[in-house]
């Protein structure tokens, strides 16, 4: 069981190349995906060795669900700050490539680059310009209170 | 708030064309996706009007998270019954096309038809033959105790 290993949580290095730090909630480290096509947060429970929801305790899973809802509101707020009306949240826990439990929270619009399909693996990430990234980051941080 | 409307939950008709009834857990109606390429369950909280996690009460969200974990174990069991070793669970709440909250639980294998990408929107569903479907259904029902 991951909680019992005594191994300290370390962020998988893959996230460093694709996202930037937003802050830490009670359970999850939160990042913003470095892709200006969508307001997109990534939640990573700070539990060493976890790959699936079943690797968390039931108590941590309940916290995670509430952090998912909070992060959804934050993604909506980031979309609004960017002038993008989020019509639907997409929540995904896949982890086929990155072997560390993480949850994608993606704000979708009916005119976005992948609608109505999923965003994962679609096209190439568009880098944020620094000013736009700071607007999105500020909106996420305000909504998450981090 | 969906819980306050007094409107009775009704399954969105889209699910009838793409999946079959497995049974009901405390919160969710459970279906098997009619696609033999993956062991795949769909959880639909029986709450009228819900489209996002935020439309459920916190109490129902906690139940949902535990049903997600249970359904993940059931998908692994279905994979095993079908001779398919599930390497990773993929959990998705998208709902871009079907406007009723539902959670996909998909058992992934590194040799499957979409690995490592997501399954949604990939290729065309492969119909189960009746015997294989009954094997998968029985494994799901045993694991879910429905």
């Amino acid at each position: 069981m991951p909680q019992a290993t005594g191994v300290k949580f370390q962020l998988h290095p893959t996230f460093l190349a694709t996202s930037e730090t937003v802050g830490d909630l009670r359970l999850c480290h939160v990042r913003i995906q470095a892709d200006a096509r969508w307001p997109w947060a990534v939640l990573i429970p700070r539990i060493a060795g976890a790959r699936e929801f079943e690797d968390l305790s039931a108590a941590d899973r309940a916290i995670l669900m509430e952090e998912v809802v909070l992060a959804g509101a934050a993604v909506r707020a980031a979309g609004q700050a960017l002038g993008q009306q989020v019509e639907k949240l997409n929540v995904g826990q896949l982890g086929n490539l990155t072997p560390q439990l993480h949850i994608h929270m993606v704000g979708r619009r009916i005119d976005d680059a992948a609608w109505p399909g999923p965003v994962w693996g679609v096209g190439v990430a568009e880098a944020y310009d620094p000013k736009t990234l700071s607007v999105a980051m500020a909106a996420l941080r305000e909504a998450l209170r981090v």
Side-chain angles (χ1 to χ4, degrees), chain A:
Chain A
M1 302 295 290
Q3 291 91 336
T5 58
V7 175
K8 193 170 182 297
F9 169 80
Q10 285 192 304
L11 188 68
H12 194 281
T14 301
F15 294 108
L16 301 178
T18 56
S19 58
E20 297 200 23
T21 296
V22 175
D24 283 353
L25 298 172
R26 183 171 159 201
L27 177 67
C28 291
H29 175 62
V30 184
R31 303 183 67 81
I32 181 170
Q33 189 80 2
D35 189 338
R37 295 176 297 171
W38 295 282
W40 182 339
V42 183
L43 300 183
I44 304 148
R46 297 192 304 279
I47 302 292
R51 286 201 66 191
E52 301 280 7
F53 291 131
E54 69 206 34
D55 297 328
L56 303 182
S57 67
D60 280 347
R61 286 197 292 262
I63 295 170
L64 175 58
M65 177 55 96
E66 294 312 294
E67 294 187 353
V68 161
V69 172
L70 181 62
V75 164
R76 286 187 194 280
Q80 191 159 24
L82 297 169
Q84 300 170 352
Q85 177 72 32
V86 170
E87 314 267 359
K88 185 72 188 71
L89 295 171
N90 282 186
V91 183
Q93 190 277 92
L94 291 89
N96 302 335
L97 291 169
T98 302
Q100 181 170 62
L101 178 62
H102 60 283
I103 299 95
H104 294 281
M105 305 289 311
V106 190
R108 304 299 307 274
R109 309 177 308 280
I110 56 174
D111 64 349
D112 75 31
W115 186 269
V119 300
W120 302 284
V122 169
V124 178
E126 280 179 22
Y128 274 102
D129 70 78
K131 187 173 173 183
T132 308
L133 178 62
S134 74
V135 168
M137 188 74 92
L140 288 175
R141 285 179 172 149
E142 183 181 358
L144 296 172
R145 300 185 182 189
V146 295

